[in-house]
Amino acid sequence: MGRYYRLSKEITEAEADEILRELREKEDLKSVELSEDRKMMKVETKDGEYASVMGAAVNICSRIARGCELSFEGFAY
């Protein structure tokens, strides 16, 4: 089961690519993808623990997309 997160602002395709590239380097990440409109992010971890992965995701999004924040939207079944 994964989780959906909403991005607080629009991001460019280049920002999206860089965010996904950096997140995919995380060891405990199983999968990450952005919706076609780049407003939602679906994250799934290998062990079901999200604290470290999402801590990194928040920092990566903020740094790359200049202040973009993430908020929990719901579970992906």
Side-chain angles (χ1 to χ4, degrees):
M1 176 171 65
R3 296 182 180 187
Y4 288 106
Y5 294 87
R6 180 168 299 282
L7 281 70
S8 65
K9 62 185 248 181
E10 287 187 31
I11 62 173
T12 67
E13 190 172 337
E15 290 169 335
D17 290 343
E18 183 63 17
I19 288 168
L20 292 176
R21 186 192 66 73
E22 286 195 30
L23 280 174
R24 287 181 178 137
E25 293 176 356
K26 300 297 294 173
E27 237 177 72
D28 35 348
L29 183 74
K30 183 176 181 180
S31 67
V32 62
E33 58 189 61
L34 287 168
S35 60
E36 204 170 301
D37 61 6
R38 298 185 300 271
K39 292 182 180 181
M40 298 284 288
M41 179 185 291
K42 180 182 175 188
V43 177
E44 189 173 357
T45 62
K46 292 179 182 175
D47 57 7
E49 295 295 322
Y50 284 82
S52 67
V53 170
M54 292 315 299
V58 166
N59 291 332
I60 290 167
C61 288
S62 180
R63 177 174 43 83
I64 292 172
R66 298 170 312 280
C68 180
E69 298 176 352
L70 298 174
S71 58
F72 178 74
E73 186 71 17
F75 294 101
Y77 297 98

